[in-house]
Amino acid sequence: MTDAAIHPFRVEIPEADLDDLHDRLARTRWPDELPGVGWSRGVPLGYLQDLAGYWRDGYDWRGQEARLNQLPQFTTVVDGQPIHFLHVTSPEADALPLIVTHGYPGSVVEFLDLVGPLTDPRAHGGDPADAFHLVAPSLPGYGFSTPVREPGWAMGRTSRAWVELMARLGYDRYGGQGGDIGAGVTGMLANLDPGHVVGVHLNSDPLAVAAVALPPGDEADKAAVTDAHRASLEWMRRFQADGLGYLELQRTRPQTVAYALTDSPVGQLAWIVEKFKEWTDPAADLPEDAVDRDQLLTNVSVYWFTGTGASAAQFLYETAHAQDWPGPSDVPQGWAVFAANDDLVRRLVDPDGRIEHWSEFDRGGHFAAMEAPDLLVEDVRAFFRKLR
């Protein structure tokens, strides 16, 4: 696979695959459930039966597929790996190129509500001077970036692939944006391509910090100086203690969980929807209170139809065992923290206030592009406004 050409792409799921999905959903072998446990042990039986029933009988994949195909999509091969990406150019000639990267368990479906406002602010009540040419790749092994065929595809190698992709598209000067895995990949762009990257904007939330960057006890305790800080820190520690089972499994035994994710659509649905319950805005009682139900199911459907639940799990294994972590960079960095009840995240992550642009929002959550696209769009515009 050495083809460096860029090829147009359309999402065209065969009807036989839709029929197979509906048949598998209809024949689901459901487990028992203890009474009264709610969400405390995972996704409740009744909730998942209702959601799976809607996926089978009410959800319109063809309509969602048509929405995806309204956007220009392409594939190319970078470092031997097929890469799928959206490439939406702005009508504004002097727009800044921006590469946006999704995380886990996400896909380019996350960005559907961002495309218009970012690429054509004039048509969405914004300033045309804030326009971007948007590039949104699917992570290697995710979605339509077909399953990886060799080890080694972690965040560092992905970032190097993004550098090549932007060069292949002819972009000499560009910005980066991302959350979750996308934040790591985007941050590495600043280290790997500082001569071309004008700035990187990352979105996060307190639980993401708890998952990967919560300091040791004494250091964290010193940052919690008010009752609100201490309550937030306790929330983060509870999540660290009982909310990371998925990560432990996927970064140690991804092949084991791969069978259920590939063979059972309800297994794949439960695995993803639990994250949308746990990581979205704390004010939301159910995932669809935070994220549109059809958009959530489109994201799950992309995993299912492409069979990439397994390779997405492998990506987390590769990243956990990677050694190619780059050093610091002087490229300007911005952070937008969602579901922030106080300034604890900044006290933990940036105690010296060195990050040039820092925003905190009391709504939204881990999936900011889907939960609070208006806030994310405006913050991205504000950060890059001074870097154009």
Side-chain angles (χ1 to χ4, degrees), residues 325-346:
W325 300 98
S329 169
D330 294 329
V331 171
Q333 184 177 135
W335 273 56
V337 181
F338 293 82
N341 297 319
D342 48 54
D343 65 347
L344 180 64
V345 170
R346 185 162 202 182

Side-chain angles (χ1 to χ4, degrees), residues 276 280-281 284 286-292 370-372:
F276 278 81
T280 50
D281 191 322
L286 296 172
E288 54 265 47
D289 294 334
V291 173
D292 177 78
M370 303 171 78
E371 296 181 71

